Amino acid sequence: MKVLVIGAGGREHALAWKLAQSPRVDKVWCAPGNPGIADSAECVPVDVANADALLALAAELRPDLTVVGPEVPLTAGVVDAFTARGLRVFGPTKAAAQLESSKSFAKEFMRRHNIPTAHYAVLTKESELKDALAHFSAPIVVKADGLAAGKGVVIAQSKEEAVSVAKAMLSGKLLGAAGARVVLEEFLDGEEVSFLVMSDGERVAPLVAAQDHKRVGDGDTGPNTGGMGAYSTDALLEPAMRDWLIHHVAQPVVAGMKEEGAEYRGILYCGLMMTARGPMVLEFNCRFGDPETQPILMRLDSDLLDAFEASVDGRVSDGDFKWSADTTCCVVLASGGYPGEFQKGKVITGLEAAAKLPDVKVFHAGTAKNAAGEFVTAGGRVLGVTARGATLEQAVACAYEACAKIEFDGMHYRKDIAARALKVATKNNHRRDAESAEKMK
Ligand code: AMP
Ligand code: GLY
C-alpha cells in the first residue's frame, strides 16, 4: 500500500516513521516533508494550505491513503475535496474541524452538549469588553477565536491586561483575522493532559495520554508556544479516569457532531485541565498533537495503518491500538528567540551521535539542508529528541543525554520536561521501597 502524509513537522516525521514500519506499507511520501523525514519517506514539495495543489499531487502519485497532519489543510477543506473525488483520506472535514478552527464554535458546542469546560464569553467588538469582564476575576484567559499555531492564548494577570490583549486581538494587530473574535475564559488550575482518540464518526478508540509543556521557559514561565516537550506514561491517566473521559467527553463530542450533521472522523485531541472540580476541556484539536505524537507513537506496538483504515472505513473499535508499557519523553530543541523572532540557517551538529544512542529517535521539525548538504535550522521548533525507557527516569535521562550531543547557534530547550511527574514517581518509589523494607524486617 502507498501512503501520502501531508505536513512538514515533527508530528509528520513520527507519522511517516511509524507508517514506514508497517509490513503492509511499501511506499510513504511526505508533502512537503523535511530532510529529516527523508529517512522514512520520499519528500515532495507542495503548499499544504492549497487544496487544489494537494489534489493535483494525489492525482500524480495515486496514494491508496492520504493522512493529513496539520490543522491548516483540514481547515482549508482538503478532506472534503479528496472525498468528493473518491480518494481515501484520513481526517475530519472542514465542518468537523471547526472544533479546532473556531474556539467560539467549540465552546458553544460544549455548552450545547454538556461537556465540562471553563466559563466563557465571546466578543466581536471592543465595546462588549466592559460588560463581559464584569463576570470574570483575574487571572483571565484571553483567546483568539481562529488558528494561531499555539500562540493565540494569553493569560492576563489583571483586567487591565485582559483589556489591552483583547483590544490588540480584536483590532487585528496581534494575530490578524484569527483575533477578529475573542473568547474570554475563566482561569483553570491543575495538571494538563492531552487525551487523543481515533474516531470513525461514531465509535472512538483511545490513544495513550501525554502531557505537553506549552510555556517556553522552565517552571512553566514565559509565553505559550506550539509545545516545548511532552512525555507519555500510563501513570498520567488511570483507567477509570480514561473511561470517564471517553463517556463524558470523547463519545459525546462524536455523537454531538454527528447529530449536528458534521460527522467527526479522524483524531480528536482533547486538551484537558484536571482541576479540583474534575476534568475540564481547554481545547479540541482536529489532529494529532505536536509534540505529543512523537512520544505517543514511540509507544505504539500495533500497525498505525490499520488504525487509519479503521477510521476511514468506519470500523473503529476499542482494541485498535496495542501499546507498550514503556514510558517516552520528547524534548523540543528550539531556535534562539522562539516563540518570537528567530534566525534560520544555523548549522546543526551532533545528529549522528544522538541517533547512535539506543532507544532514541530524533524527529525533525524545522530543518533544511544547506548547499554543503549540512542540516540547518529552518523553523522555531527545530528537533524533537525522543527517547523511551522502562521507567520515566530512564526515558527522561536518555532524551537529555541525546539533547546534550546536539548543537546549533542560539539553541534552547526546557530542562524540566516531565520534572513534576518524576518527583511524584520518585516519592512513590521511595514509599514502595520503605514499605517493602518494612515487610522484610
Ligand atoms: P488552548 O489553545 O485553548 O489549549 O490554550 C493553550 C494553552 O493555554 C493551554 O494548553 C493551557 O496551558 C493554557 N490555557 C488555555 N485555557 C486555559 C484556562 N482556561 N485556564 C488556564 N490555562 C489555560
Ligand atoms: N501540542 C499542542 C498541539 O498540538 O496543539
Side-chain angles (χ1 to χ4, degrees):
M1 176 159 297
K2 299 181 171 61
V3 186
L4 169 63
V5 176
I6 294 173
R11 164 186 49 215
E12 287 74 25
H13 194 179
L15 290 169
W17 170 76
K18 199 68 209 175
L19 281 167
Q21 292 170 19
S22 165
R24 294 200 294 121
V25 171
D26 38 45
K27 176 83 192 177
V28 184
W29 292 281
C30 191
N34 66 47
I37 295 180
D39 69 5
S40 308
E42 181 186 339
C43 296
V44 279
V46 79
D47 171 6
V48 298
N50 183 337
D52 289 336
L54 290 166
L55 270 179
L57 183 67
E60 184 193 326
L61 302 175
R62 301 178 163 273
D64 300 297
L65 176 70
T66 299
V67 175
V68 187
E71 60 279 20
V72 168
L74 291 166
T75 301
V78 164
V79 168
D80 311 59
F82 274 53
T83 308
R85 299 280 176 98
L87 298 168
R88 284 176 98 215
V89 59
F90 172 81
T93 58
K94 180 177 177 163
Q98 279 183 98
L99 278 177
E100 174 169 4
S101 64
S102 167
K103 288 195 186 292
S104 58
F105 174 88
K107 294 297 282 190
E108 280 153 17
F109 175 87
M110 285 189 268
R111 176 137 73 187
R112 286 196 293 278
H113 296 277
N114 285 321
I115 293 164
T117 190
H119 296 301
Y120 71 100
V122 180
L123 317 172
T124 52
K125 293 196 261 328
E126 265 186 48
S127 57
E128 296 163 346
L129 260 171
K130 195 162 169 263
D131 282 352
L133 279 168
H135 302 282
F136 292 87
S137 50
I140 300 164
V141 186
V142 186
K143 300 185 174 186
D145 186 60
L147 296 180
K151 293 161 213 151
V153 175
V154 176
I155 297 171
Q157 296 306 325
S158 64
K159 285 201 176 182
E160 293 68 37
E161 189 188 351
V163 167
S164 94
V165 172
K167 279 186 178 169
M169 284 183 184
L170 288 167
S171 69
K173 271 188 212 133
L174 200 56
L175 292 161
R181 199 184 281 253
V182 163
V183 176
L184 298 180
E185 217 174 82
E186 158 202 25
F187 177 80
L188 299 175
D189 205 12
E191 284 291 330
E192 277 187 57
V193 173
S194 304
F195 178 59
L196 283 65
V197 299
M198 173 78 80
S199 168
D200 62 3
E202 230 167 274
R203 289 159 291 256
V204 300
L207 280 68
V208 285
Q211 186 177 60
D212 190 10
H213 294 63
K214 295 252 164 62
R215 304 290 196 98
V216 70
D218 284 357
D220 290 331
T221 51
N224 269 340
T225 67
M228 292 299 288
Y231 67 93
S232 175
T233 154
D234 284 340
L236 257 175
L237 207 57
E238 297 289 328
M241 179 54 85
R242 183 195 57 208
D243 292 347
W244 192 93
L245 291 169
I246 290 174
H247 290 110
H248 294 87
V249 178
Q251 198 69 65
V253 170
V254 169
M257 290 301 279
K258 187 171 175 156
E259 195 184 302
E260 296 192 9
E263 195 176 74
Y264 196 98
R265 281 181 191 234
I267 287 287
L268 175 69
Y269 168 128
C270 310
L272 305 162
M273 189 71 93
M274 310 309 262
T275 75
R277 286 186 278 153
M280 302 259 175
V281 176
L282 293 176
E283 64 165 342
F284 292 117
N285 292 323
C286 57
R287 49 165 178 87
F288 282 96
D290 192 341
E292 290 97 322
T293 303
Q294 294 81 315
I296 288 176
L297 290 186
M298 214 180 205
R299 294 185 61 195
L300 181 63
D301 279 343
S302 53
D303 191 330
L304 183 58
L305 178 68
D306 291 347
F308 285 138
E309 289 200 295
S311 167
V312 173
D313 299 339
R315 50 179 172 77
V316 163
S317 76
D318 203 13
D320 280 347
F321 297 103
K322 300 275 177 287
W323 302 101
S324 153
D326 278 358
T327 63
T328 48
C329 175
C330 169
V331 180
V332 170
L333 305 184
S335 289
Y338 174 80
E341 299 276 306
F342 55 85
Q343 291 180 347
K344 298 181 183 176
K346 308 290 183 193
V347 174
I348 305 166
T349 59
L351 287 168
E352 279 180 18
K356 278 196 195 123
L357 292 171
D359 298 320
V360 169
K361 175 74 191 165
V362 180
F363 293 109
H364 286 233
T367 67
K369 276 196 173 168
N370 65 12
E374 298 163 306
F375 280 106
V376 294
T377 63
R381 295 191 291 172
V382 179
L383 299 161
V385 180
T386 313
R388 70 190 279 168
T391 64
L392 190 57
E393 286 89 335
Q394 285 168 11
V396 171
C398 190
Y400 280 110
E401 188 187 343
C403 291
K405 305 217 178 277
I406 300 173
E407 259 183 55
F408 53 85
D409 186 26
M411 175 174 108
H412 68 95
Y413 58 96
R414 279 184 64 162
K415 310 290 188 305
D416 65 344
I417 303 302
R420 275 195 315 279
L422 272 180
K423 257 193 208 154
V424 174
T426 312
K427 224 163 71 193
N428 288 343
N429 287 346
H430 284 162
R431 203 192 52 219
R432 235 173 280 133
D433 291 348
E435 279 168 7
S436 45
E438 195 61 34
K439 277 193 199 130
M440 305 272 274
K441 272 186 194 164

